[in-house]
Amino acid sequence: EIVLTQSPGTLSLSPGERATLSCRASQSIGSSYLAWYQLKRGQAPRLLFYDASSRANGIPDRFSGSGSGTDFTLTITRLEPEDFAVYYCQHYDSPAMYTFGQGTKLEIK
Amino acid sequence: QVTLKESGPALVKPTQTLTLTCTFSGFSLSSSGMRVSWLRQPPGKALEWLARIDWDDDKFYSTSLETRLTISKDTSKNQVVLTMTNMQPVDAGTYYCARIIYGGWHFDSWGQGTLVTVSS
């Protein structure tokens, strides 16, 4: 079973700064089957990227996803106040195994 | 517009069975390739996938919870129901339903979640 490790656990930044969030897989997963989600309290979770770098509908281009193999990155350039949230990476393995990282909390400094 | 909404009891007692309903709109679970999953997030912990039901009524469960879970669908009502038996305090958290579209594997639309507390 693939284990996803996210770092850092908490990232404290100011609006306007750049955020770099990491997701490391315990073994190579290529560039497919890796997604990123944004969670805010009281709101529906939001899909940001799938297949590591394919942007979901409506996601601003200040968000980018990259990586392959075991190392994946979610980057947010020029943080906006609404970007402060918890971010999760997720892997899928057929036929129905869905694993999540432990999350990175992006908080206002 | 795709929407999903979870409903169910906010409080259950230990050993009781939890029944949650996901009511959705904007798509049909009878359409080829459509899938709906249940996930949860205990307080302060990570997301955890629980179960999935497909358009063709295939069902899949988390290996660690499969003895306690049952997922079903009512296509005419646009609903997916999850039952979890023998609820314990560790099962408390926010429960979400989410959609997977044809050809996809990721959760492209989610409900806002429903908070479940387990206490006597």
Side-chain angles (χ1 to χ4, degrees), chain B residues 5-9 18-23 38 79 95 97 113-114:
Chain B
K5 186 172 184 178
E6 307 86 350
S7 59
L18 172 69
T19 299
L20 296 173
T21 300
C22 174
T23 303
W38 281 95
Q79 291 181 333
Y95 285 71
C97 60
T114 186

Side-chain angles (χ1 to χ4, degrees), chain A residues 9-20:
Chain A
T10 301
L11 185 57
S12 299
L13 294 169
S14 300
E17 290 192 296
R18 177 188 185 96
T20 303

